Amino acid sequence: MQATTKTNFVIPKHLQPYVVEQNYDKYTEVDQQVWRHVLHRNYNFLKDVAHPAYVDGLRKTGISLDHIPRVEEMNQCLQPSGWGAVTIDGFIPAVVFFDFQSRGILPIATDIRKPEHIDYTPAPDIIHEAAGHAPILSDKWYADYVKRFGRIGSKAFATREEHEVFEAIRSYSKLMEDPKATQEEVQLAKEILDAKQSAVTGVSEAEEIARLYWWTVEYGLFGKIEQPLLYGAGLLSSIEESRHCLTDAVIKRPFSLEETISTAFDITKMQPQLFVCESFDQLLDSVERFKYRMAFHTGGKVAMEKALRSGATSTVVYSSGLQVTGTLESMVYTENSEIVFFRTEGPTALAWNNQELNGHGKSTHTDGFSSPIGRLQGVSLPLELFTDGDLEAHGIRMKEHVNLVLEGGITVEGRLEEIVRQEGKILLLSFNQCKISHHGRTLFQSDQGTYDMAVGERIVSTFAGAADPERFFE
């Protein structure tokens, strides 16, 4: 059920389905005792070994050690730091989680760990979120780091196999905290998780982002290798691991971007090594450096292939500024392995500047969208930059039959019905009786209806999710 809890900020429509009511009355006296036990015990230990921002944050936010906070309290606590909170039902997709954080919204799981898992649970719970993440967000530099992380994390591509791992982790973690679950059910869920993880090949940018997040925001250490301070929420919310991490049993390694994204983790076990950063500036720098290798920044062939492999909603951005949101189905390559045509499957929408174009939503492109990529053959000026005079000079006239030959062997034939421009650039050419072929092989043909051809000499960006999520996911 969608939450109606009052907040001091606007929750975007596409994120609202993930928000639930906290239903505070469901917490039992045992739940409250678990909160008090963990918070008092952790505070007594962490006040001497945690980053100063943690203890200071507890004081600033006013998070009580004696009772589970209400989400309204959390909002009041976080507001001075420019943050807010919403309650969610456990695990949510990574892109959604990061989307919340990019907007300065902390997603808080409503559940609380069982007494038998009081020291540590792999499942998200209110102790981890409210007592682990929230206090240290009072530090300006750290809060900025988490927001920046959210901005790039929400655009990161995972693979189909990694999506399946996420679902397996969610199922396993829920069973771990379900009092009605049998040992056999938990064991089976763990075996399924292991099998899904074994099926993953390669490391996606989403997995690299997850690793960087894990070794910093969740399990980061700060300061000197010999005597580090705790700042990761996973450490700050775990009685057992906060103590264990400072022993010689855990290897302490200097933080480096390359090492963290190359080091996998297991959420079901205590970590055998941790990374120690020198300052939060070092973390900010790592996020800035990482974003330059991501598909949303690089564009091109590799970025398109990441979108295809994800099997999920993605956005492809042309050099004209046109944004195509949908699920990539296939691509056509030249002999030199350059992409000259792509196709989406299912509902697709077209946008510009993150705003859906009128008449080009999912209801128009219900069964997918396809279009070429590239310049006109033998013409140095990109088609998106053509003026009316340029169009006339190349025989491209409204209400007349047009034959376009693009680099890479794509041919587009049809009667030109409409030209869509934004800020002087051509985004779309709409044709009737259109046929598209590649070296004689027909890619699209229709004697009825309109074909909208995207215009752009290259793909400058691709990213996970929608250009206009408010419209696409409504």
Side-chain angles (χ1 to χ4, degrees), residues 301 332-340 408 438-439:
K301 173 186 171 183
V332 175
Y333 294 80
T334 66
E335 293 180 353
N336 296 325
S337 298
E338 295 298 323
I339 300 170
V340 291
H438 181 241
H439 293 309

Side-chain angles (χ1 to χ4, degrees), residues 375-383 386 407 457:
R375 300 187 185 197
L376 293 179
Q377 185 173 295
V379 180
S380 60
L381 183 69
L383 181 56
F386 273 30
E407 293 177 341
E457 67 167 328

Side-chain angles (χ1 to χ4, degrees), residues 42 119 224-225 245 287 458:
N42 271 14
D119 287 338
K224 298 179 180 179
I225 293 285
C245 76
V287 169
R458 67 187 189 281

Side-chain angles (χ1 to χ4, degrees), residues 202-277:
V203 179
S204 71
E205 61 183 24
E207 174 60 20
E208 289 181 327
I209 279 281
R211 292 176 180 181
L212 181 57
Y213 191 86
W214 183 265
W215 297 123
T216 58
V217 178
E218 294 292 354
Y219 281 86
L221 295 175
F222 181 96
K224 298 179 180 179
I225 293 285
E226 301 78 19
Q227 196 172 5
L229 299 173
L230 286 63
Y231 75 88
L235 300 174
L236 298 175
S237 60
S238 171
I239 293 174
E240 184 178 11
E241 194 143 22
S242 61
R243 287 159 174 75
H244 178 70
C245 76
L246 295 177
T247 68
D248 292 338
V250 178
I251 300 170
K252 318 299 190 299
R253 296 158 64 179
F255 172 84
S256 86
L257 174 61
E258 296 305 324
E259 277 210 65
T260 53
I261 65 176
S262 300
T263 305
F265 60 88
D266 185 343
I267 71 165
T268 67
K269 301 175 182 177
M270 287 196 290
Q271 307 308 308
Q273 79 282 305
L274 296 174
F275 295 90
V276 184
C277 74

Side-chain angles (χ1 to χ4, degrees), residues 34 50 72 87 95 97 103 119 143 173 195-196 244 248 297 317 319 338 362 377 395 406 442 446 448 458 469:
V34 168
E72 294 84 0
T87 43
V95 292
F97 178 81
R103 301 168 190 272
D119 287 338
S173 298
K196 294 295 184 183
H244 178 70
D248 292 338
H297 187 82
V317 186
S319 51
E338 295 298 323
K362 294 187 296 182
Q377 185 173 295
L406 280 68
T442 300
S446 176
Q448 297 180 342
R458 67 187 189 281

